[in-house]
Each structure stands twice: as structure tokens, then as C-alpha cells.
Amino acid sequence: MIKYILLFILCLLVTPVCGQPIANNEELWLDDNGQHINCHGGNILYLPDGKYYWYGEHRVEHIPGTSEDGISLYTSKDLKTWHYEGLVLEAVKDMTSDITLGCIMERPKVVYNVRTKKYVMIFHLELRGKGYSAARTGFAVADNPKGPFRFLRSVRPNAGKWPADFKRKDKKAASDLRPEAYKEWWTPQWYQAVSKGLFLKRDLKKGQMSRDMAVYIDDDGKAYHLYSSEENLTLHLAELTNDYLHYTGKYWRIAPGGQNEAPVIFKRNGTYWLIASGCTGWAPNKARLFKASQITGPWEQLECPARGKGADKTFGGQGTYAMPDPQRPGEFIFMADVWTPKQLSHSRHLWIPVTFENGSPVLRQ
Ligand code: DGJ
């Protein structure tokens, strides 16, 4: 009996009040060692050992020439008390490696592949000294959720491939675009050209740009990589091979010219939902909401999902992952980063249980 009473009390302690944020956007969130949880832009896996595994960017201020030294892992039994397990993928000293110190590894997502029994990490990689121009995807793999992850390679996705739903006339329309006619950005003609595939065509040979990203495993086990492409103007949803380590070459564009970043994707009662941000660097902006009945689209844009004070800036946060809510089966917690660019390691965590109103997801702080 005492066991059940204790269990009940524990449940009360970890149950979020519906719609109220679990982590707020102002305070530091300390681990069991008294240090702020330095794990940003990542995701959380719940594994059969009854523990949550939280992977993210490990930001540092003390190493000259870089803002991060790798991907960190924290574990928890209750989503509240977190233990730092160290770096599961480290930036290396070897200057010939794509992940040499000084590179930027952002928005890592770790997924488990039931077929290969491996943990796969996919992340946005920028090469050392090249700012944000490389726009590549990194792949790493591990036998164990605590790593170490072995870096495999980085690529520009889908070189030589047109989107899966591009018909002959679409390919021709994109191929006929003359870049010199669109030197001035943000004009109506330029937007039209972007939508037709101005940057898609430019990057066809070397592969498409890939920055802010999410990974989604569908119920049939198929994995998709969703990333900001085409100069951050258009999201791409790319199918991954069965081992989750390569692209199949099939991809679909979402909201061409819409300038969406920080994609967060989830499925509820058969409908796919996507919450993204606009592109304003580290500064927060108004979230965007999309819906589809098939993951490959068409995606319909709806009104901003955030409500209440601070909603027009997503309460200071930018989404990173939709975590299945252990307290509400079938529902999700929207995890976001509240970036503090002067000291990225101290960027705050904002977790908001997603509620539904009139059939659409809502975020309230
Ligand atoms: C916004 C992105 O969402 C972040 O991950 C990061 O790339 C910043 N831009 C850099 O300015």
C-alpha cells in the first residue's frame, strides 16, 4: 500500500498542470551537480531501462575559436532531475576531420533503429572557419545510447535529385531560371523564382543545403530528415534508408519561400503537425503551424499556435523537439531553446505541454 501511495505522490510531482510550462524561459535548470543543463537544440529518447536520454549541443565559452565542443547527454528517471553523462560525440583536434574543433554542430537528433539495433545521430554541421555556408548534414552511430558515437560523414543531401513530386515541366521551369535575373533578393519576382526552384537548381549538382533540422520516424519505421534548405527559404523532407544512415534520393519541399527554421514535427490521431520558427538568428519570433494528412504533403499553413502574453515571440523560445508526454499518452511536450547568444551554454529551456483547441495544437505559457 505504502508503495502505491509513494508512486501516486511521485506521479503528482512529475505531472505538468495541463498547458503550463514545465521548464520556464528565465531560470537556469540545474543538473544533479548544480550546473545548468548544457544541452541545446536536441531531443529526448525514452528507453526500456526507464530512463530519459537528452542529447543536445554542448556550448562552451572557454575554448578560443569555437562555441562548442560536442554533443552532450543527460539522463533522468523523472524528466526533472538530470545527470550529466558527458560528451557522446566530441569535436576533434584532427584538422582534416569535418568535425574538427571550431566546427558548428547544431540541433542533433538521436533515434534508435530497431532493424540495425544502432543509435543514429543526425545533426546540422557547419565546417570550421566557414560560418554557416557549408550547410551540411552529419551522421554518427553508436551501439549504446551513452555512446561514444562514431562520426561517419557529412553530406549535402540529395545531390543530383529533383524533388520526388517534380514533374518534367517543374524541372524545366527550374532549369530555365537565369540566376543573373534575380540578383536582387526579396522582390515579388525573386520570391516566384525561389518557389520555382532558383536555389534548388543552383545546388542540384553539389547537393541541397541543410541547416535547422528534425528527424521523424513514422509508424511504419520509415525515417525522414526535415531541414531548412535553399538558403533557409524552403523546408525539405527527405526520406532516409532503412539503416537511417543515407538518403534514398526522395524528398519533398514544404512551404517554398516561406523561410522556416527550427522544425518540430509530430503526429496525433493520424494528422501530422509541424511547428516552425521564422529566421531571425538567435532572436525569437512568431511560430508557424502547418498540418498534413500525409507526411509528404501537401502541408497547409494555419494560424500561429502560441497564445497569451509573449505569444508573438514564442515566449522567447525556438522549438527543437516534440517529446511524447509520459503523463498524457498520445500528447506531446513542445521543447524549445531560449537562446542567450552572449553565453550560449546558459541558453534556457522552455517546455510547454501542447494542448488542443478546436482541433489545433496550442502553446500557452
Ligand atoms: C537560428 C537557428 O535556429 C539556430 O539553430 C542557429 O543556427 C542560429 N540561427 C544561428 O544564428
Side-chain angles (χ1 to χ4, degrees), residues 206-228:
K206 67 172 171 189
Q208 300 297 325
M209 299 177 92
S210 156
R211 292 200 183 114
D212 276 16
M213 50 148 285
V215 177
Y216 184 74
I217 314 287
D218 213 338
D219 301 337
D220 58 4
K222 250 192 194 160
Y224 298 88
H225 181 210
L226 175 62
Y227 49 90
S228 299

Side-chain angles (χ1 to χ4, degrees), residues 96-142:
T96 65
S97 167
D98 283 0
I99 59 164
T100 191
L101 262 173
C103 72
I104 305 171
M105 293 187 253
E106 284 186 354
R107 299 189 171 272
K109 303 289 177 283
V110 174
V111 288
Y112 179 65
N113 187 311
V114 286
R115 288 191 191 89
T116 61
K117 301 193 168 34
K118 305 266 186 217
Y119 294 85
V120 174
M121 182 193 290
I122 303 180
F123 57 99
H124 164 203
L125 176 71
E126 295 295 346
L127 304 175
R128 176 191 162 98
K130 295 202 183 318
Y132 276 85
S133 64
R136 297 174 77 81
T137 308
F139 289 90
V141 70

